[in-house]
Amino acid sequence: MKKSLWILAVICVINSMGFGIVVPLLYSYGKKFGITSETLGLLTAAFSIAQFFATPLLGSLSDKWGRKPVLVISLIGTCISFILFAQARSVIMLFAARILDGLTGGNISVAQAMVSDVSSPEDRAKNFGILSSAFGFGFVAGPALGGLLSKYGMHVPFYFAAGIALIGVLLTVFLLKETNCKTDKERAYKFSFASLVSILKQKTIGVSIFIGFLLTMAQFTMIIGFQTFTNDELKLSPAQTGIFYAGFGVTGIIMQLLVPFFTRVCRSKALILLLSTLVCLGAMTLAGLASGLWLFAAAIGIYGLFNGLRNPMLNAIIADNSNDDEQGKVLGINQSYTSIGQTLGPVTAGFVTAISLHSIFFLASLYILTALLLSFKLKRQDC
């Protein structure tokens, strides 16, 4: 189990690092093909929409075919998409590359299903915390590496991202063992796109998925506010903003590594989620009231810490309440809503920027407040 978990963690670092390398460069790279700030939103949405529909399907296929072949297919698709992006000669190729990456972007949900396969209910939150911290490390390191590689040519980071995705393929093929060990007769394939809606009606799983959707929207709303506030109000340089944001990412990684401590102190994952969401609400509200660097930094730091508990707790709750033969599908649907939350957060933030920069943080607080109210419902179901 430990060997599979740590190999998965390395694969997740590689995968998220590739994503982190590429995303900050999409706009500057796409400008030479006619990408504008408006069409950048469409390019981002194309990836998220493709992932919304494809991820639960890939998760269901991993329930039927096994995790390993689907993870290999996903990583190969990511590798090819980065090569297409580097070789792009038109806007159409850029969109085709991002859509392909979205369609094969089942990496996260399949990795989560593999962790669930090899974990006992008592260890799930801890192991999901290790996986989340691996993703977080890649996201923190990726943008810095992408900026460094871009000095050698704007296409170089995309080739590098394709190369490390290929390393992920090789690690999966040669080192990772299949974790879905059911026989063909035992493996089920029960998927329809209607389940993207019907799953929200399920008592615990539906509430957990919707809480995750709201908290993801809050985080990506905050990111827009963070970028504009540090630039326009605090007058930080791009380098200073980058270091500041890296610090935010590191706080989340630290908290995810401390998940075993929290689960020993409190056995209720729903209660840990509720309390961490309450702290996040207070910190986000404080960020909206801040006008200087130190208060803003303290608020964002506290938010980053306790927001780090979100994914390990929610993924563990969802896995604990899912049938063994539907783990991939359910975690895939959860990732689908996460990808949509990552898109809608920045979009809704754009609508309130006309009011004030501070209103972005208050909008994020509203999302967190709604998630907090649902967390009370989740805690009652846990009793």
Side-chain angles (χ1 to χ4, degrees), residues 4-71:
S4 296
L5 178 62
W6 289 110
I7 292 172
L8 275 172
V10 172
I11 291 170
C12 288
V13 169
I14 289 171
N15 187 46
S16 60
M17 188 179 293
F19 186 82
I21 286 169
V22 167
V23 169
L25 302 174
L26 290 179
Y27 181 56
S28 55
Y29 182 74
K31 280 175 71 175
K32 64 181 181 180
F33 302 108
I35 289 289
T36 64
S37 56
E38 291 79 14
T39 51
L40 178 64
L42 293 176
L43 190 64
T44 304
F47 170 84
S48 298
I49 293 169
Q51 189 177 57
F52 178 78
F53 289 106
T55 302
L57 177 60
L58 290 169
S60 294
L61 289 173
S62 78
D63 292 330
K64 176 65 178 176
W65 295 346
R67 314 295 188 207
K68 187 172 175 175
V70 176
L71 184 58

Side-chain angles (χ1 to χ4, degrees), residues 132-333:
S132 295
S133 63
F135 273 110
F137 176 79
F139 283 128
V140 170
L145 186 57
L148 179 65
L149 291 171
S150 65
K151 295 179 181 179
Y152 301 98
M154 286 300 295
H155 61 285
V156 172
F158 299 98
Y159 283 123
F160 184 85
I164 61 174
L166 181 59
I167 293 173
V169 173
L170 298 175
L171 287 174
T172 303
V173 170
F174 294 108
L175 295 181
L176 196 62
K177 291 184 178 180
E178 177 59 62
T179 61
N180 184 4
C181 298
K182 297 182 178 67
T183 64
D184 289 340
K185 291 183 178 180
E186 292 174 321
R187 290 176 177 175
Y189 178 72
K190 305 173 183 176
F191 179 75
S192 69
F193 286 108
S195 62
L196 288 166
V197 177
S198 63
I199 200 168
L200 296 178
K201 300 176 183 178
Q202 295 188 27
K203 186 177 179 182
T204 301
I205 293 175
V207 174
S208 299
I209 288 175
F210 197 64
I211 289 172
F213 166 72
L214 288 168
L215 293 178
T216 300
M217 276 221 300
Q219 179 181 339
F220 280 78
T221 298
M222 180 280 297
I223 288 173
I224 298 299
F226 180 93
Q227 292 172 340
T228 53
F229 189 79
T230 53
N231 182 71
D232 296 345
E233 289 282 329
L234 300 180
K235 307 298 183 184
L236 299 184
S237 68
Q240 291 172 323
T241 300
I243 294 170
F244 194 168
Y245 186 73
F248 167 76
V250 169
T251 57
I253 294 171
I254 291 170
M255 189 61 87
Q256 286 157 357
L257 293 174
L258 291 175
V259 165
F261 167 77
F262 287 97
T263 53
R264 280 198 300 269
V265 172
C266 178
R267 299 297 297 272
S268 172
K269 302 178 187 77
L271 180 58
I272 295 173
L273 177 68
L274 190 155
L275 294 175
S276 64
T277 305
L278 179 61
V279 175
C280 285
L281 175 61
M284 188 62 69
T285 304
L286 189 63
L289 296 171
S291 56
L293 173 61
W294 294 112
L295 182 59
F296 182 74
I300 293 298
I302 294 169
Y303 170 76
L305 273 173
F306 286 88
N307 186 57
L309 291 172
R310 178 190 74 207
N311 285 333
M313 295 305 128
L314 282 172
N315 289 333
I317 292 169
I318 291 168
D320 288 345
N321 289 275
S322 303
N323 296 328
D324 289 343
D325 60 350
E326 292 187 329
Q327 296 268 3
K329 181 185 80 172
V330 174
L331 289 167
I333 292 174

Side-chain angles (χ1 to χ4, degrees), residues 66-79:
R67 314 295 188 207
K68 187 172 175 175
V70 176
L71 184 58
V72 169
I73 291 169
S74 296
L75 288 167
I76 289 174
T78 297
C79 179

